[in-house]
Amino acid sequence: MDNKTTDDEIRFLARLGAAMAAANYPVTLIRQMLGRASAAYGVPTEVIVLPNTVQVVGPATGSGTIVKSAHLDRDVRFDQAFPLARLVSNAMRGAIDPAEGDTELDRILASRPRFRPWMTVLGYGVWSAGLGLVLEPTPLNLLGATVLGVMVGIFAMVGQRFGVLAQLLPVVSAFSVAAVSIAVAEYLGLDHIGLRALIPPLAMFLPGAAITLAVIEVTARDAVSGSSRLVAGFAQLAQLVFGILIAAQLLGEDVSHLSAEPLNKLGPWAPWLGVAVYAVGVMLFLGPPTSFLPWLLLVAYAAFIAQYLGDLVLGSYASGFCGGVVLTVAALLMSRYRSAPPALTMILPGFWLLVPGSMGLIGIAELFGADGDSALGVTFISMISVALGLQAGLVLWQAFRRPGGWRRRRR
């Protein structure tokens, strides 16, 4: 194998790893997949993976050791994760030439969103409405979640066009949502503002997935990656809380009026309908292939039922753990079918539905003045429970799957 061919392969593997990192693959999984791809290409490599940078060190040659580094300045969109997963699969089998893989990766990263901006904004309003039904099913909250979701969706579209503003989106969105909610509550003469009512429009900023990945990586001894994700997750959560508290202070709202008590004025059916509405919102906002919807509904309801039963049987602290276990096992099980999407694409929407970050937001807001003197403990446990559930699901899957049958994708 000549140096030019090896150089192309090392470069492709580094860029592929960077794309996987930008798509929220755990660093442990990235190393494993790149190792399999290296073996398929017959090139021995050493891989160093961080959340935003991947370095691949190739074999020593007559002209020296080939080293390639790559990183992406933005996240890979959810709809781009589907063709990216196919490219990763082909690379692990050595079924695509590195030069062709580079071209395909460029095509994936340059692809445009499936829907026009106005449809994406509307989709986030539907997403927010679905979570509103799950968290706080009242007529007023449903209306507010939809309208405020559309508002935050517009903010997100503007932030994408002006990249510098994206860093301020969590604070600006949290401030705007809280300010509008407080103004409406005062106009209607309400005696409190439900913190749960503020969560659906801010769902895209909740760091549940980041914290879950952090726990997986820390326990896998990837301390640098795990710690950085954990700090970033808490920093983003703090931005949301800061925006809410600043809005409350500027508008003269007593933070003791912020309440985390659940309220349901529509009926016990509302949260179950909310899961389906949420799934439709995911399809419109994130723009995955249409064939993804049935799989999304299956895995979302599986996780939601597990969380619901876990709350009834074991209590609220264990509900996220139960949901995480079932979410992971269900996604991995369904991914074995030939027509199924990659497991990771089914797990990520489940994170947002189980809402570990939402419970953290409630807890920290309580810590700054609302009811509750054990908010810090509630915050930590509610976030970590889903992450540990995910990890437990991965362990169960690896321990109990049969040697034959499910290892081969079913037709």
Side-chain angles (χ1 to χ4, degrees):
M1 183 177 296
D2 59 38
N3 290 348
K4 178 62 168 65
T5 302
T6 303
D7 187 83
D8 289 343
E9 290 170 345
I10 300 300
R11 178 177 181 273
F12 170 57
L13 292 176
R15 294 192 65 217
L16 184 63
M20 294 164 65
N24 285 322
Y25 282 66
V27 297
T28 305
L29 185 60
I30 295 174
R31 274 200 305 270
Q32 292 173 353
M33 289 181 165
L34 291 184
R36 292 177 59 183
S38 298
Y41 288 125
V43 180
T45 61
E46 292 289 338
V47 179
I48 300 173
V49 183
L50 297 174
N52 59 352
T53 303
V54 173
Q55 183 180 82
V56 180
V57 181
T61 64
S63 57
T65 302
I66 301 175
V67 179
K68 297 292 183 181
S69 297
H71 75 280
L72 290 180
D73 294 327
R74 60 177 178 82
D75 290 338
V76 169
R77 295 195 315 269
F78 186 75
D79 61 290
Q80 294 173 327
F82 292 82
L84 176 62
R86 289 193 295 269
L87 179 59
V88 171
S89 178
N90 289 335
M92 288 193 297
R93 294 182 288 110
I96 186 169
D97 180 78
E100 295 177 357
D102 251 344
T103 302
E104 175 65 11
L105 185 57
D106 287 335
R107 187 195 66 78
I108 292 171
L109 297 177
S111 63
R112 305 186 65 176
R114 181 182 175 193
F115 298 120
R116 293 182 178 274
W118 68 267
M119 181 65 77
T120 302
V121 170
L122 178 62
Y124 191 68
V126 176
W127 165 321
S128 180
L131 289 180
L133 286 172
V134 171
L135 293 173
E136 189 88 2
T138 68
L140 180 61
N141 182 57
L142 179 59
L143 175 62
T146 305
V147 173
L148 293 175
V150 170
M151 180 186 73
V152 174
I154 294 173
F155 290 168
M157 290 299 101
V158 174
Q160 288 181 3
R161 291 181 179 273
F162 303 95
V164 178
L165 299 179
Q167 300 175 11
L168 298 176
L169 274 180
V171 174
V172 172
S173 298
F175 175 84
S176 301
V177 168
V180 172
S181 299
I182 292 171
V184 171
E186 292 181 349
Y187 179 78
L188 297 178
L190 302 180
D191 59 356
H192 73 281
I193 300 170
L195 284 169
R196 290 174 178 268
L198 304 181
I199 292 169
L202 301 174
M204 75 167 77
F205 305 114
L206 295 173
I211 292 175
T212 301
L213 290 174
V215 171
I216 293 174
E217 291 170 351
V218 168
T219 54
R221 303 183 69 180
D222 286 307
V224 174
S225 298
S227 300
S228 63
R229 289 190 198 272
L230 195 62
V231 170
F234 275 107
Q236 185 156 324
L237 196 61
Q239 285 183 292
L240 295 178
V241 175
F242 179 76
I244 292 173
L245 295 179
I246 290 299
Q249 289 185 355
L250 288 179
L251 296 179
E253 183 70 22
D254 189 342
V255 292
S256 64
H257 292 167
L258 300 177
S259 170
E261 291 297 322
L263 187 63
N264 187 341
K265 291 185 177 180
L266 296 181
W269 52 267
W272 301 93
L273 175 62
V275 176
V277 175
Y278 164 77
V280 173
V282 168
M283 296 297 296
L284 295 175
F285 178 61
L286 299 179
T290 304
S291 59
F292 181 63
L293 180 59
W295 302 101
L296 174 59
L297 286 170
L298 284 173
V299 76
Y301 273 108
F304 186 72
I305 290 170
Q307 188 179 43
Y308 176 78
L309 294 178
D311 184 34
L312 290 179
V313 177
L314 301 175
S316 58
Y317 288 112
S319 63
F321 179 84
C322 296
V325 170
V326 172
L327 168 66
T328 305
V329 173
L332 289 169
L333 187 64
M334 288 187 286
S335 70
R336 306 312 297 169
Y337 285 90
R338 188 174 299 277
S339 59
L344 186 65
T345 60
M346 291 186 280
I347 290 175
L348 284 175
F351 288 155
W352 296 314
L353 182 61
L354 294 176
V355 202
S358 298
M359 295 304 297
L361 176 60
I362 293 172
I364 290 181
E366 289 175 340
L367 187 64
F368 276 90
D371 296 335
D373 57 3
S374 60
L376 188 59
V378 172
T379 300
F380 182 78
I381 294 175
S382 60
M383 284 184 173
I384 300 303
S385 63
V386 174
L388 293 178
L390 172 66
Q391 189 175 34
L394 291 171
V395 172
L396 288 174
W397 174 257
Q398 294 171 356
F400 293 108
R401 64 177 181 174
R402 291 177 294 175
W406 284 109
R407 287 200 183 204
R408 298 187 296 269
R409 294 179 74 90
R410 289 197 169 192
R411 296 181 180 179

